[in-house]
Amino acid sequence: MKSFFHVSDIGDLNAALAEAMQVKATPFAWKHLGENKTIMLVFFNSSLRTRLSSQKAALNLGMNPIVLNIGQDSWKLETEMGVVMDGDKSEHLREAIPVMASYCDIIGVRSFAGLKDREYDYAETVLQQFIEFSGKPVISLESATVHPCQAFADLITIEEHKKVKRPKVVLTWAPHPKALPQAVPNSFAEWMNAADVDFVITHPHGYELDPQFVGDAVVEYDQMKALEGADFVYAKNWSCPGVTDPSQYGEILSKDMGWTVDAAHMAVTNNAFFMHCLPVRRNMIVSDEVIDAPTSLVIPEAANRVVSAQVVMKRMLENLQK
Ligand code: AN0
Ligand code: CP
């Protein structure tokens, strides 16, 4: 695996899930693979789960993780090409990336969407620079448009908890006070479309995700109707993807608290499990009652972030040995 961005990068999903279960059962069985190998984990944005689960996954594989928080531990980095660097950014990615690459074998990058320029974000401009200028395998640790380590962990969690062969999975938008990226719903949609599930997306008008991620999913604007008979309810806020009106890209179009997932929403489901990638704002996205119920999977879902990261790193290490 050269880079990890899209569901297509992981190949056959059943094989990936089988490998995930093996990794989960015997996490230290591949400790030799990472010997004398280093992964650089570069964070332009805050993180709890991605940071810790990536470090843990690397350590399980016997690999050394180095974490760099850009702008806090490092110089502030310029990401735009061709600019006069007379502002507060002391160093350009064009130098910083090859320097970081010279100290490691694999690079993971967290770089959120700026939510100002749709074209810039959807071209994955920062991640593409890491791919181009590092020459190393690159993992998206949530980049402008995707969060594949999260979506893979979500799929593992669904596989572990499903009670029917082909469960109904509903991705529902929920309100949030700040404008958030579309990376999590984009990747979740992409992975669910590739998985053996009935997939429905529900959101208020104007929140249509990019067609490349919606794929063949059913989009239902009536949230209650969408949730009927669901086996898994996956809540997430996202800002306007700017598909129907590009001028609204990154804006908050709704704060309708009627979309908060509460007991009344869960009552129309098939006793569904509740999922969220975390961090979550209680009583905005989901009521206390729903997230604290035994059907809430948020903690096992977060725990599976180690498993998904470890499968990805394991495959990259195996590839380096070829
Ligand atoms: C981020 C987001 O919505 O993309 C990270 C989620 C994993 N969430 C927040 O910034 C609250
Ligand atoms: N779910 C997730 O990626 O969490 P962090 O932002 O804390 O890494």
Side-chain angles (χ1 to χ4, degrees):
M1 197 190 296
K2 184 67 189 141
S3 61
F4 185 57
F5 244 33
H6 289 293
V7 69
S8 52
D9 295 321
I10 200 97
D12 181 77
L13 271 191
N14 287 327
L17 281 170
E19 196 171 329
M21 300 313 168
Q22 271 187 318
V23 161
K24 189 161 181 169
T26 56
F28 308 115
W30 295 271
K31 227 174 156 56
H32 59 284
L33 273 182
E35 194 181 6
N36 299 330
K37 294 281 189 286
T38 300
I39 184 165
M40 182 84 63
L41 301 166
V42 183
F43 287 86
F44 288 84
N45 313 95
S46 306
S47 166
L48 186 152
R49 277 143 294 274
T50 306
R51 173 190 307 274
L52 297 178
S53 63
S54 300
Q55 290 185 70
K56 176 70 175 134
L59 292 168
N60 286 354
L61 290 163
M63 186 163 45
N64 297 305
I66 301 179
V67 181
L68 185 68
N69 303 310
I70 301 293
Q72 294 168 27
D73 309 343
S74 80
W75 304 103
K76 279 195 181 148
L77 296 184
E78 179 59 65
T79 56
E80 306 273 345
M81 291 296 179
V83 289
V84 177
M85 289 174 57
D86 59 355
D88 64 338
K89 310 228 171 95
S90 308
E91 181 162 14
H92 201 285
L93 270 187
R94 188 67 189 82
E95 284 76 49
I97 294 172
V99 169
M100 291 189 280
S102 74
Y103 306 147
C104 68
D105 303 280
I106 299 173
I107 302 187
V109 185
R110 165 156 289 199
S111 170
F112 285 173
L115 298 178
K116 301 257 180 306
D117 180 341
R118 185 177 204 281
E119 218 172 297
Y120 182 88
D121 288 345
Y122 272 74
E124 285 284 1
T125 310
V126 173
L127 253 278
Q128 289 304 336
Q129 293 188 43
F130 271 88
I131 290 173
E132 187 179 347
F133 302 132
S134 75
K136 300 281 153 105
V138 174
I139 304 175
S140 166
L141 301 176
E142 186 173 338
S143 49
T145 63
V146 290
H147 195 0
C149 296
Q150 181 65 51
F152 187 15
D154 297 333
L155 176 64
I156 295 166
T157 311
I158 289 170
E159 184 68 17
E160 286 177 321
H161 290 87
K162 71 181 187 185
K163 294 174 189 152
V164 290
K165 190 179 172 305
R166 195 176 163 85
K168 177 177 175 182
V169 178
V170 180
L171 165 63
T172 178
W173 179 92
H176 192 277
K178 291 166 102 177
L180 296 185
Q182 295 109 43
V184 170
N186 283 348
S187 279
F188 187 71
E190 186 187 54
W191 285 67
M192 287 304 114
N193 279 322
D196 193 14
V197 303
D198 284 329
F199 183 47
V200 178
I201 306 174
T202 184
H203 53 71
H205 285 278
Y207 280 100
E208 291 76 17
L209 295 168
D210 195 281
Q212 65 173 303
F213 298 109
V214 177
D216 296 329
V218 173
V219 178
E220 168 58 64
Y221 291 94
D222 181 332
Q223 189 192 27
M224 280 299 188
K225 207 168 152 199
L227 292 172
E228 275 171 21
D231 297 298
F232 293 87
V233 174
Y234 192 98
K236 182 73 184 85
N237 172 268
W238 63 90
S239 62
C240 175
V243 170
T244 42
D245 181 355
S247 72
Q248 292 183 319
Y249 176 64
E251 287 181 9
I252 295 174
L253 304 180
S254 169
K255 288 189 179 175
D256 184 353
M257 297 288 279
W259 283 74
T260 303
V261 178
D262 63 12
H265 290 83
M266 296 304 279
V268 303
T269 69
N270 183 26
N271 192 26
F273 289 108
F274 175 81
M275 297 178 72
H276 188 278
C277 64
L278 305 182
V280 73
R281 292 197 184 221
R282 283 170 172 255
N283 304 311
M284 285 292 308
I285 300 284
V286 56
S287 68
D288 285 336
E289 193 181 8
V290 171
I291 196 171
D292 291 332
T295 42
S296 169
L297 295 179
V298 295
I299 305 304
E301 185 182 352
N304 278 334
R305 291 292 307 277
V306 176
V307 183
S308 64
Q310 196 173 334
V311 171
V312 171
M313 291 177 198
K314 172 177 172 285
R315 289 193 176 187
M316 286 183 170
L317 288 170
E318 283 164 347
N319 211 37
L320 287 175
Q321 294 199 332
K322 280 181 193 156

